[in-house]
């Protein structure tokens, strides 16, 4: 029994009214559970899939590049953006319809304790292929070129720095 703040008393009684389960109901319950497990297995299969990327052929390379242009530090200009492109030497290629260049959004430079900083947090993704197994037959390793630009009020662009990013080049090696 339950008593509330007004002094009312509520009494509840629970009784089991089903004495047993019939063979028909037991069969229905089994069918429902089988259907439930079948749908769950199908859902998991659809989430994971059944097709996977084949490994590269003997002597070939596949390089997945997942990167981010995070920030620019120490630039005096405001309204910075980054223009970037990948340079693929002889022997390297990418899948069709893959952008080899891009732009970040404009970012205002803010003064912080560590200096002037502009945040971009711009992700990029690229899959590279090389089917040449000998290092001397290919024209080197892929490189990422970065150009930090400033968008001025007069709608003119000025290049602040243009340089290949050797650190990323070394990561691809």
């Amino acid at each position: 029994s339950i008593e509330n703040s007004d002094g009312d008393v509520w009494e509840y009684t629970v009784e089991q009214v089903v004495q047993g389960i019939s063979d028909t109901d037991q069969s229905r319950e089994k069918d429902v559970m089988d259907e439930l497990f079948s749908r769950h297995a199908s859902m998991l299969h659809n989430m994971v899939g059944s097709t996977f990327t084949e490994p590269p052929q003997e002597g070939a390379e596949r390089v997945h590049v997942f990167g981010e242009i995070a920030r620019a530090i120490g630039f005096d200009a405001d309204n910075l953006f980054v223009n970037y492109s990948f340079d693929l030497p002889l022997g390297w290629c990418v899948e069709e319809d893959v952008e080899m260049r891009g732009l970040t959004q404009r970012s205002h430079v803010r003064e912080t304790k560590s200096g002037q900083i502009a945040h971009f947090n711009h992700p990029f993704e690229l899959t590279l292929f090389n089917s040449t197994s000998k290092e001397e037959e290919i024209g080197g390793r892929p490189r990422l070129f970065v150009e930090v630009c400033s968008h001025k009020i007069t709608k003119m662009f000025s290049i602040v720095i243009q340089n290949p990013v050797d650190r990323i080049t070394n990561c691809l090696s």
Side-chain angles (χ1 to χ4, degrees):
S1 66
I2 299 173
E3 185 174 335
N4 66 8
S5 60
D6 295 334
D8 297 330
V9 176
W10 300 84
E11 290 190 18
Y12 292 95
T13 305
V14 177
E15 294 179 17
Q16 181 176 350
V17 293
V18 178
Q19 296 300 323
I21 187 167
S22 69
D23 290 339
T24 306
D25 290 339
Q26 195 171 13
S27 175
R28 280 189 205 149
E29 183 179 359
K30 181 186 178 305
D31 292 344
V32 167
M33 293 305 289
D34 288 346
E35 178 68 21
L36 175 70
F37 289 127
S38 174
R39 286 185 185 186
H40 182 70
S42 175
M43 180 189 70
L44 290 177
H45 176 72
N46 289 337
M47 287 172 49
V48 173
S50 60
T51 58
F52 297 95
T53 305
E54 292 290 324
Q57 296 175 354
E58 185 72 29
E61 294 177 285
R62 178 185 299 136
V63 179
H64 297 282
V65 179
F66 301 95
E68 178 183 30
I69 299 174
R71 61 189 171 269
I73 300 173
F75 290 93
D76 294 334
D78 199 16
N79 293 320
L80 294 180
F81 65 96
V82 176
N83 180 14
Y84 63 93
S85 64
F86 287 91
D87 174 47
L88 298 183
L90 182 67
W92 288 91
C93 62
V94 295
E95 295 174 334
E96 290 183 29
D97 302 329
V98 173
E99 276 296 318
M100 298 279 296
R101 64 187 64 194
L103 291 170
T104 65
Q105 75 279 5
R106 283 188 307 166
S107 178
H108 292 289
V109 175
R110 291 187 301 160
E111 187 67 38
T112 64
K113 292 178 183 177
S114 59
Q116 295 178 320
I117 188 166
H119 291 277
F120 302 109
N121 298 330
H122 180 82
F124 59 85
E125 179 180 342
L126 189 67
T127 302
L128 306 169
F129 299 94
N130 175 9
S131 59
T132 307
S133 60
K134 296 181 181 173
E135 183 74 29
E136 59 273 2
E137 292 180 11
I138 61 175
R141 294 291 180 183
R143 296 188 300 170
L144 172 64
F145 285 94
V146 174
E147 183 177 56
V148 179
C149 304
S150 173
H151 185 257
K152 296 182 180 179
I153 303 296
T154 59
K155 303 289 186 200
M156 295 177 63
F157 298 97
S158 62
I159 298 173
V160 179
I161 185 173
Q162 182 174 355
N163 196 7
V165 179
D166 293 326
R167 194 171 71 202
I168 293 179
T169 301
N170 291 338
C171 290
L172 297 177
S173 300

